Amino acid sequence: MQTLNVGTVGYGFMGRIHTHSYKSLPMLFEPLPARIRLVGVAVRNPESQRLAVEQGGYEFATADWQELISRDDIDVINCCAPNSVHKDVLIAAIEAGKHIYCDKPLTGRLSQAEEVISAEKRSCLPRTRMMAHNYRFVPALMRARELMDEGRIGRVFTFCFRYIHSSNVDHAKPMPWKTDRTQGGGVLVDLGSHILDLARWLLGDFERVLAHPFTQIRERPDPVTGQMKPVTGDDATCIIAELKNGALGTLEASKLATGANDELTLEVRGDRGAFTFNLMDPNWLNFYDNTPPDAPLGGNKGFLRIESVQRYPAPAVMPGPKLTVGWPRFHIQSIHEFVRRVVAGEPGSPSFSDALAVERIIDTCYERPGAWAEVPV
């Protein structure tokens, strides 16, 4: 069996989740597409370096991510660094001929994302480069994609996608880099990239958008000095969007949603059917079949709750298909798909080009707020 040697840049929250996912593959899949060897991790904080080795199982830790790129015994660069670092890491990894698994977004800045794509196009080596848009790997949403492909929804009329948190409601919360637009932050980048990717994956490309990014809490304390600093990124954004297929919809990303934890909701309504989904109730997809005839007492009309739970296809073997699904499982499935594609010599999906398309939508929203604007191809 082939062994893939992994080097991870960043060992914060997402670095740990990705590490956990690689380590979980042998327990959840039979047969395993490849053995995973966690070779090195690059992170500045000495305590994080210690944890990455002792807790994560990496053979060594370094403060210099370029050391991972330069090593011949590392096949995969797993990028979990802050958005502002993505461009340099990704371009260097592409030029070194590495396979790449990158946490979203591609960079957080359109100009930087375009530089990454240009580097990818210059590369002549067939390598797998894939984005960690983990919500494509929720069983209920995989079933929703099947319903779309089967024509069960028909022509889509309207849609409504929301991803909302309450994580920035506290005025006294120190300003994290994810609220700093100069560092590639903003809620439209952080949460919005997920729903924009899902919209493209399920419904198709965007034609034009009317967006309103806004910042309610305009100053926050600096996490180091405690002094108040202006917030440069949005903490909520609402979008009206027209798709190339004629569908009209709304998208909302917010970290000011008091009472919400991790609420990603989708509604899609077409002439043959509809579906709804809520990440807080992830084991079910609600599907409405609009094709049965009407009857005085309703006939067979009504929403059907499809029990998606953990019904992943083979080679997934654990946990059992009837058991409830949890958030880390989506990341594990996504990384399994990445590893499978590396071994098979296939391009990544979602690809870097998919991520570029999302960043073009985000950039259009930021650059033309309050006005209808066409999304560039």
Side-chain angles (χ1 to χ4, degrees), residues 29-69:
F29 298 91
E30 295 178 4
L32 192 65
R35 295 187 185 92
I36 300 298
R37 176 184 166 218
L38 298 177
V39 179
V41 62
V43 60
R44 292 180 180 178
N45 185 283
E47 177 62 13
S48 296
Q49 292 180 8
R50 183 187 68 81
L51 284 173
V53 173
E54 296 180 5
Q55 172 196 79
Y58 289 92
E59 296 175 10
F60 76 92
T62 176
D64 183 8
W65 58 262
Q66 296 184 40
E67 182 179 347
L68 304 183
I69 305 279

mmCIF file of all heavy atoms in Angstrom, residues 29-69:
data_model
loop_
_atom_site.group_PDB
_atom_site.id
_atom_site.type_symbol
_atom_site.label_atom_id
_atom_site.label_comp_id
_atom_site.label_asym_id
_atom_site.label_seq_id
_atom_site.Cartn_x
_atom_site.Cartn_y
_atom_site.Cartn_z
ATOM 1 N N PHE A 29 -12.236 3.368 7.323
ATOM 2 C CA PHE A 29 -12.344 2.978 5.918
ATOM 3 C C PHE A 29 -11.618 1.662 5.664
ATOM 4 O O PHE A 29 -10.489 1.454 6.116
ATOM 5 C CB PHE A 29 -11.751 4.067 5.012
ATOM 6 C CG PHE A 29 -12.459 5.380 5.105
ATOM 7 C CD1 PHE A 29 -12.040 6.342 6.009
ATOM 8 C CD2 PHE A 29 -13.559 5.646 4.314
ATOM 9 C CE1 PHE A 29 -12.689 7.554 6.112
ATOM 10 C CE2 PHE A 29 -14.227 6.852 4.411
ATOM 11 C CZ PHE A 29 -13.795 7.816 5.312
ATOM 12 N N GLU A 30 -12.300 0.765 4.914
ATOM 13 C CA GLU A 30 -11.723 -0.507 4.486
ATOM 14 C C GLU A 30 -12.151 -0.773 3.043
ATOM 15 O O GLU A 30 -13.354 -0.858 2.775
ATOM 16 C CB GLU A 30 -12.193 -1.648 5.391
ATOM 17 C CG GLU A 30 -11.720 -1.558 6.831
ATOM 18 C CD GLU A 30 -12.270 -2.688 7.687
ATOM 19 O OE1 GLU A 30 -12.964 -3.575 7.121
ATOM 20 O OE2 GLU A 30 -12.036 -2.680 8.892
ATOM 21 N N PRO A 31 -11.235 -0.902 2.106
ATOM 22 C CA PRO A 31 -9.790 -0.762 2.309
ATOM 23 C C PRO A 31 -9.368 0.708 2.372
ATOM 24 O O PRO A 31 -10.054 1.587 1.856
ATOM 25 C CB PRO A 31 -9.201 -1.439 1.064
ATOM 26 C CG PRO A 31 -10.240 -1.194 0.012
ATOM 27 C CD PRO A 31 -11.561 -1.270 0.718
ATOM 28 N N LEU A 32 -8.247 0.942 2.992
ATOM 29 C CA LEU A 32 -7.677 2.280 3.097
ATOM 30 C C LEU A 32 -6.947 2.605 1.801
ATOM 31 O O LEU A 32 -6.197 1.774 1.292
ATOM 32 C CB LEU A 32 -6.714 2.315 4.275
ATOM 33 C CG LEU A 32 -6.208 3.673 4.756
ATOM 34 C CD1 LEU A 32 -7.358 4.491 5.320
ATOM 35 C CD2 LEU A 32 -5.115 3.466 5.813
ATOM 36 N N PRO A 33 -7.156 3.803 1.217
ATOM 37 C CA PRO A 33 -6.484 4.108 -0.049
ATOM 38 C C PRO A 33 -4.971 4.237 0.088
ATOM 39 O O PRO A 33 -4.233 3.956 -0.854
ATOM 40 C CB PRO A 33 -7.112 5.434 -0.478
ATOM 41 C CG PRO A 33 -7.676 6.031 0.768
ATOM 42 C CD PRO A 33 -8.083 4.875 1.622
ATOM 43 N N ALA A 34 -4.493 4.671 1.260
ATOM 44 C CA ALA A 34 -3.051 4.831 1.482
ATOM 45 C C ALA A 34 -2.781 4.939 2.975
ATOM 46 O O ALA A 34 -3.642 5.352 3.750
ATOM 47 C CB ALA A 34 -2.530 6.080 0.770
ATOM 48 N N ARG A 35 -1.595 4.547 3.349
ATOM 49 C CA ARG A 35 -1.158 4.805 4.718
ATOM 50 C C ARG A 35 -0.773 6.279 4.842
ATOM 51 O O ARG A 35 -0.263 6.881 3.900
ATOM 52 C CB ARG A 35 0.050 3.933 5.071
ATOM 53 C CG ARG A 35 -0.239 2.446 5.102
ATOM 54 C CD ARG A 35 0.970 1.687 5.636
ATOM 55 N NE ARG A 35 0.762 0.241 5.568
ATOM 56 C CZ ARG A 35 1.129 -0.520 4.547
ATOM 57 N NH1 ARG A 35 1.723 0.036 3.489
ATOM 58 N NH2 ARG A 35 0.905 -1.815 4.557
ATOM 59 N N ILE A 36 -0.991 6.837 6.012
ATOM 60 C CA ILE A 36 -0.659 8.233 6.261
ATOM 61 C C ILE A 36 0.485 8.306 7.257
ATOM 62 O O ILE A 36 0.437 7.697 8.339
ATOM 63 C CB ILE A 36 -1.873 9.009 6.810
ATOM 64 C CG1 ILE A 36 -3.033 8.977 5.804
ATOM 65 C CG2 ILE A 36 -1.482 10.451 7.138
ATOM 66 C CD1 ILE A 36 -2.736 9.622 4.466
ATOM 67 N N ARG A 37 1.515 9.061 6.908
ATOM 68 C CA ARG A 37 2.634 9.332 7.817
ATOM 69 C C ARG A 37 2.682 10.832 8.064
ATOM 70 O O ARG A 37 2.867 11.609 7.132
ATOM 71 C CB ARG A 37 3.942 8.844 7.194
ATOM 72 C CG ARG A 37 5.194 9.175 8.021
ATOM 73 C CD ARG A 37 6.446 8.737 7.284
ATOM 74 N NE ARG A 37 7.650 9.315 7.879
ATOM 75 C CZ ARG A 37 8.700 9.732 7.180
ATOM 76 N NH1 ARG A 37 8.709 9.627 5.850
ATOM 77 N NH2 ARG A 37 9.751 10.251 7.788
ATOM 78 N N LEU A 38 2.460 11.215 9.306
ATOM 79 C CA LEU A 38 2.500 12.630 9.677
ATOM 80 C C LEU A 38 3.948 12.997 9.964
ATOM 81 O O LEU A 38 4.477 12.728 11.046
ATOM 82 C CB LEU A 38 1.615 12.874 10.893
ATOM 83 C CG LEU A 38 0.125 12.564 10.698
ATOM 84 C CD1 LEU A 38 -0.647 12.778 11.997
ATOM 85 C CD2 LEU A 38 -0.475 13.413 9.575
ATOM 86 N N VAL A 39 4.582 13.627 8.970
ATOM 87 C CA VAL A 39 6.028 13.855 9.056
ATOM 88 C C VAL A 39 6.349 15.098 9.862
ATOM 89 O O VAL A 39 7.047 15.049 10.873
ATOM 90 C CB VAL A 39 6.642 13.948 7.644
ATOM 91 C CG1 VAL A 39 8.145 14.217 7.741
ATOM 92 C CG2 VAL A 39 6.385 12.674 6.863
ATOM 93 N N GLY A 40 5.866 16.253 9.405
ATOM 94 C CA GLY A 40 6.256 17.496 10.058
ATOM 95 C C GLY A 40 5.131 18.495 10.114
ATOM 96 O O GLY A 40 4.173 18.436 9.331
ATOM 97 N N VAL A 41 5.247 19.427 11.055
ATOM 98 C CA VAL A 41 4.268 20.493 11.196
ATOM 99 C C VAL A 41 5.027 21.798 11.396
ATOM 100 O O VAL A 41 6.066 21.833 12.064
ATOM 101 C CB VAL A 41 3.310 20.224 12.375
ATOM 102 C CG1 VAL A 41 4.064 20.179 13.698
ATOM 103 C CG2 VAL A 41 2.198 21.253 12.436
ATOM 104 N N ALA A 42 4.517 22.861 10.792
ATOM 105 C CA ALA A 42 5.123 24.184 10.918
ATOM 106 C C ALA A 42 4.175 25.090 11.689
ATOM 107 O O ALA A 42 3.045 25.330 11.251
ATOM 108 C CB ALA A 42 5.423 24.776 9.543
ATOM 109 N N VAL A 43 4.626 25.567 12.835
ATOM 110 C CA VAL A 43 3.838 26.473 13.660
ATOM 111 C C VAL A 43 4.817 27.266 14.522
ATOM 112 O O VAL A 43 5.831 26.743 14.982
ATOM 113 C CB VAL A 43 2.811 25.696 14.513
ATOM 114 C CG1 VAL A 43 3.485 24.715 15.441
ATOM 115 C CG2 VAL A 43 1.905 26.637 15.271
ATOM 116 N N ARG A 44 4.523 28.562 14.716
ATOM 117 C CA ARG A 44 5.488 29.422 15.406
ATOM 118 C C ARG A 44 5.537 29.196 16.913
ATOM 119 O O ARG A 44 6.598 29.204 17.517
ATOM 120 C CB ARG A 44 5.154 30.891 15.118
ATOM 121 C CG ARG A 44 5.395 31.304 13.672
ATOM 122 C CD ARG A 44 5.044 32.768 13.500
ATOM 123 N NE ARG A 44 5.267 33.212 12.128
ATOM 124 C CZ ARG A 44 5.008 34.437 11.695
ATOM 125 N NH1 ARG A 44 4.500 35.346 12.535
ATOM 126 N NH2 ARG A 44 5.237 34.769 10.446
ATOM 127 N N ASN A 45 4.386 29.021 17.532
ATOM 128 C CA ASN A 45 4.313 28.948 18.985
ATOM 129 C C ASN A 45 4.985 27.678 19.512
ATOM 130 O O ASN A 45 4.636 26.568 19.101
ATOM 131 C CB ASN A 45 2.843 28.980 19.419
ATOM 132 C CG ASN A 45 2.690 29.032 20.914
ATOM 133 O OD1 ASN A 45 2.856 28.028 21.591
ATOM 134 N ND2 ASN A 45 2.358 30.206 21.439
ATOM 135 N N PRO A 46 5.953 27.800 20.422
ATOM 136 C CA PRO A 46 6.647 26.608 20.941
ATOM 137 C C PRO A 46 5.710 25.605 21.615
ATOM 138 O O PRO A 46 5.913 24.390 21.494
ATOM 139 C CB PRO A 46 7.652 27.194 21.934
ATOM 140 C CG PRO A 46 7.878 28.601 21.480
ATOM 141 C CD PRO A 46 6.568 29.054 20.927
ATOM 142 N N GLU A 47 4.703 26.098 22.317
ATOM 143 C CA GLU A 47 3.762 25.192 22.961
ATOM 144 C C GLU A 47 2.961 24.419 21.916
ATOM 145 O O GLU A 47 2.693 23.221 22.080
ATOM 146 C CB GLU A 47 2.824 25.969 23.881
ATOM 147 C CG GLU A 47 1.743 25.132 24.556
ATOM 148 C CD GLU A 47 2.287 24.056 25.483
ATOM 149 O OE1 GLU A 47 3.497 24.091 25.815
ATOM 150 O OE2 GLU A 47 1.510 23.154 25.859
ATOM 151 N N SER A 48 2.575 25.093 20.833
ATOM 152 C CA SER A 48 1.863 24.407 19.755
ATOM 153 C C SER A 48 2.761 23.383 19.075
ATOM 154 O O SER A 48 2.299 22.317 18.666
ATOM 155 C CB SER A 48 1.357 25.426 18.739
ATOM 156 O OG SER A 48 0.400 26.290 19.314
ATOM 157 N N GLN A 49 4.042 23.699 18.950
ATOM 158 C CA GLN A 49 4.978 22.719 18.400
ATOM 159 C C GLN A 49 5.019 21.466 19.268
ATOM 160 O O GLN A 49 4.989 20.337 18.758
ATOM 161 C CB GLN A 49 6.374 23.335 18.296
ATOM 162 C CG GLN A 49 6.510 24.441 17.262
ATOM 163 C CD GLN A 49 7.919 24.999 17.204
ATOM 164 O OE1 GLN A 49 8.840 24.467 17.821
ATOM 165 N NE2 GLN A 49 8.095 26.088 16.470
ATOM 166 N N ARG A 50 5.082 21.650 20.588
ATOM 167 C CA ARG A 50 5.115 20.513 21.499
ATOM 168 C C ARG A 50 3.849 19.669 21.368
ATOM 169 O O ARG A 50 3.912 18.434 21.281
ATOM 170 C CB ARG A 50 5.283 21.008 22.936
ATOM 171 C CG ARG A 50 5.395 19.871 23.958
ATOM 172 C CD ARG A 50 5.378 20.394 25.379
ATOM 173 N NE ARG A 50 4.078 20.953 25.729
ATOM 174 C CZ ARG A 50 3.017 20.233 26.099
ATOM 175 N NH1 ARG A 50 3.093 18.906 26.134
ATOM 176 N NH2 ARG A 50 1.883 20.818 26.406
ATOM 177 N N LEU A 51 2.692 20.345 21.326
ATOM 178 C CA LEU A 51 1.428 19.622 21.216
ATOM 179 C C LEU A 51 1.324 18.869 19.897
ATOM 180 O O LEU A 51 0.811 17.753 19.848
ATOM 181 C CB LEU A 51 0.257 20.597 21.348
ATOM 182 C CG LEU A 51 -0.056 21.094 22.756
ATOM 183 C CD1 LEU A 51 -1.132 22.180 22.703
ATOM 184 C CD2 LEU A 51 -0.503 19.948 23.646
ATOM 185 N N ALA A 52 1.797 19.480 18.826
ATOM 186 C CA ALA A 52 1.701 18.848 17.515
ATOM 187 C C ALA A 52 2.469 17.529 17.477
ATOM 188 O O ALA A 52 2.047 16.569 16.834
ATOM 189 C CB ALA A 52 2.225 19.794 16.437
ATOM 190 N N VAL A 53 3.587 17.481 18.179
ATOM 191 C CA VAL A 53 4.387 16.254 18.230
ATOM 192 C C VAL A 53 3.791 15.257 19.220
ATOM 193 O O VAL A 53 3.559 14.086 18.886
ATOM 194 C CB VAL A 53 5.847 16.587 18.590
ATOM 195 C CG1 VAL A 53 6.654 15.298 18.817
ATOM 196 C CG2 VAL A 53 6.494 17.415 17.483
ATOM 197 N N GLU A 54 3.509 15.709 20.446
ATOM 198 C CA GLU A 54 3.048 14.801 21.489
ATOM 199 C C GLU A 54 1.591 14.384 21.299
ATOM 200 O O GLU A 54 1.218 13.238 21.548
ATOM 201 C CB GLU A 54 3.228 15.453 22.857
ATOM 202 C CG GLU A 54 4.691 15.723 23.203
ATOM 203 C CD GLU A 54 4.845 16.365 24.568
ATOM 204 O OE1 GLU A 54 3.829 16.511 25.285
ATOM 205 O OE2 GLU A 54 5.985 16.734 24.916
ATOM 206 N N GLN A 55 0.761 15.331 20.897
ATOM 207 C CA GLN A 55 -0.673 15.066 20.755
ATOM 208 C C GLN A 55 -1.017 14.637 19.340
ATOM 209 O O GLN A 55 -1.765 13.684 19.126
ATOM 210 C CB GLN A 55 -1.431 16.341 21.132
ATOM 211 C CG GLN A 55 -2.923 16.352 20.882
ATOM 212 C CD GLN A 55 -3.451 17.783 20.940
ATOM 213 O OE1 GLN A 55 -3.301 18.537 19.979
ATOM 214 N NE2 GLN A 55 -4.055 18.154 22.065
ATOM 215 N N GLY A 56 -0.466 15.374 18.354
ATOM 216 C CA GLY A 56 -0.821 15.117 16.963
ATOM 217 C C GLY A 56 -0.087 13.959 16.331
ATOM 218 O O GLY A 56 -0.548 13.388 15.341
ATOM 219 N N GLY A 57 1.099 13.617 16.875
ATOM 220 C CA GLY A 57 1.837 12.482 16.337
ATOM 221 C C GLY A 57 2.786 12.817 15.207
ATOM 222 O O GLY A 57 3.266 11.906 14.513
ATOM 223 N N TYR A 58 3.082 14.093 14.996
ATOM 224 C CA TYR A 58 4.059 14.467 13.964
ATOM 225 C C TYR A 58 5.468 14.100 14.440
ATOM 226 O O TYR A 58 5.770 14.136 15.641
ATOM 227 C CB TYR A 58 3.975 15.962 13.674
ATOM 228 C CG TYR A 58 2.712 16.346 12.932
ATOM 229 C CD1 TYR A 58 1.569 16.739 13.632
ATOM 230 C CD2 TYR A 58 2.651 16.305 11.543
ATOM 231 C CE1 TYR A 58 0.403 17.079 12.967
ATOM 232 C CE2 TYR A 58 1.500 16.644 10.868
ATOM 233 C CZ TYR A 58 0.371 17.023 11.574
ATOM 234 O OH TYR A 58 -0.783 17.359 10.915
ATOM 235 N N GLU A 59 6.317 13.773 13.479
ATOM 236 C CA GLU A 59 7.681 13.370 13.816
ATOM 237 C C GLU A 59 8.529 14.554 14.262
ATOM 238 O O GLU A 59 9.452 14.395 15.064
ATOM 239 C CB GLU A 59 8.321 12.660 12.623
ATOM 240 C CG GLU A 59 7.612 11.357 12.266
ATOM 241 C CD GLU A 59 8.162 10.716 11.014
ATOM 242 O OE1 GLU A 59 9.229 11.170 10.518
ATOM 243 O OE2 GLU A 59 7.544 9.757 10.517
ATOM 244 N N PHE A 60 8.252 15.731 13.717
ATOM 245 C CA PHE A 60 9.002 16.917 14.147
ATOM 246 C C PHE A 60 8.143 18.154 13.934
ATOM 247 O O PHE A 60 7.156 18.143 13.194
ATOM 248 C CB PHE A 60 10.323 17.049 13.385
ATOM 249 C CG PHE A 60 10.177 17.551 11.969
ATOM 250 C CD1 PHE A 60 10.270 18.913 11.675
ATOM 251 C CD2 PHE A 60 9.936 16.669 10.925
ATOM 252 C CE1 PHE A 60 10.131 19.373 10.371
ATOM 253 C CE2 PHE A 60 9.804 17.120 9.624
ATOM 254 C CZ PHE A 60 9.893 18.483 9.340
ATOM 255 N N ALA A 61 8.530 19.241 14.588
ATOM 256 C CA ALA A 61 7.873 20.533 14.431
ATOM 257 C C ALA A 61 8.919 21.592 14.164
ATOM 258 O O ALA A 61 10.065 21.499 14.642
ATOM 259 C CB ALA A 61 7.071 20.885 15.676
ATOM 260 N N THR A 62 8.535 22.590 13.394
ATOM 261 C CA THR A 62 9.432 23.679 13.042
ATOM 262 C C THR A 62 8.649 24.984 13.007
ATOM 263 O O THR A 62 7.424 24.972 12.849
ATOM 264 C CB THR A 62 10.094 23.422 11.674
ATOM 265 O OG1 THR A 62 10.909 24.550 11.312
ATOM 266 C CG2 THR A 62 9.050 23.220 10.589
ATOM 267 N N ALA A 63 9.363 26.094 13.130
ATOM 268 C CA ALA A 63 8.724 27.399 12.995
ATOM 269 C C ALA A 63 8.718 27.874 11.554
ATOM 270 O O ALA A 63 8.081 28.883 11.226
ATOM 271 C CB ALA A 63 9.439 28.427 13.884
ATOM 272 N N ASP A 64 9.402 27.159 10.670
ATOM 273 C CA ASP A 64 9.592 27.594 9.279
ATOM 274 C C ASP A 64 8.838 26.654 8.333
ATOM 275 O O ASP A 64 9.260 25.514 8.110
ATOM 276 C CB ASP A 64 11.084 27.595 8.949
ATOM 277 C CG ASP A 64 11.378 28.098 7.539
ATOM 278 O OD1 ASP A 64 10.438 28.583 6.867
ATOM 279 O OD2 ASP A 64 12.543 27.997 7.110
ATOM 280 N N TRP A 65 7.732 27.153 7.755
ATOM 281 C CA TRP A 65 6.953 26.296 6.857
ATOM 282 C C TRP A 65 7.726 25.923 5.595
ATOM 283 O O TRP A 65 7.461 24.902 4.962
ATOM 284 C CB TRP A 65 5.623 26.951 6.491
ATOM 285 C CG TRP A 65 5.680 28.297 5.831
ATOM 286 C CD1 TRP A 65 5.530 29.513 6.435
ATOM 287 C CD2 TRP A 65 5.894 28.575 4.443
ATOM 288 N NE1 TRP A 65 5.634 30.536 5.516
ATOM 289 C CE2 TRP A 65 5.844 29.971 4.282
ATOM 290 C CE3 TRP A 65 6.102 27.778 3.320
ATOM 291 C CZ2 TRP A 65 6.023 30.602 3.044
ATOM 292 C CZ3 TRP A 65 6.276 28.383 2.079
ATOM 293 C CH2 TRP A 65 6.228 29.783 1.955
ATOM 294 N N GLN A 66 8.698 26.743 5.216
ATOM 295 C CA GLN A 66 9.474 26.432 4.008
ATOM 296 C C GLN A 66 10.297 25.160 4.186
ATOM 297 O O GLN A 66 10.640 24.501 3.199
ATOM 298 C CB GLN A 66 10.369 27.618 3.664
ATOM 299 C CG GLN A 66 9.584 28.873 3.311
ATOM 300 C CD GLN A 66 10.462 30.021 2.871
ATOM 301 O OE1 GLN A 66 11.432 29.830 2.149
ATOM 302 N NE2 GLN A 66 10.128 31.221 3.303
ATOM 303 N N GLU A 67 10.600 24.803 5.440
ATOM 304 C CA GLU A 67 11.320 23.553 5.686
ATOM 305 C C GLU A 67 10.485 22.360 5.238
ATOM 306 O O GLU A 67 11.016 21.375 4.701
ATOM 307 C CB GLU A 67 11.677 23.431 7.167
ATOM 308 C CG GLU A 67 12.473 22.195 7.493
ATOM 309 C CD GLU A 67 12.853 22.097 8.961
ATOM 310 O OE1 GLU A 67 12.717 23.102 9.678
ATOM 311 O OE2 GLU A 67 13.262 20.993 9.386
ATOM 312 N N LEU A 68 9.169 22.436 5.433
ATOM 313 C CA LEU A 68 8.291 21.350 4.982
ATOM 314 C C LEU A 68 8.290 21.255 3.461
ATOM 315 O O LEU A 68 8.331 20.155 2.889
ATOM 316 C CB LEU A 68 6.866 21.574 5.479
ATOM 317 C CG LEU A 68 6.643 21.735 6.976
ATOM 318 C CD1 LEU A 68 5.148 21.866 7.264
ATOM 319 C CD2 LEU A 68 7.237 20.583 7.744
ATOM 320 N N ILE A 69 8.229 22.406 2.808
ATOM 321 C CA ILE A 69 8.178 22.427 1.343
ATOM 322 C C ILE A 69 9.443 21.820 0.742
ATOM 323 O O ILE A 69 9.406 21.118 -0.268
ATOM 324 C CB ILE A 69 8.012 23.880 0.835
ATOM 325 C CG1 ILE A 69 6.786 24.543 1.471
ATOM 326 C CG2 ILE A 69 7.949 23.920 -0.690
ATOM 327 C CD1 ILE A 69 5.484 24.227 0.881
#
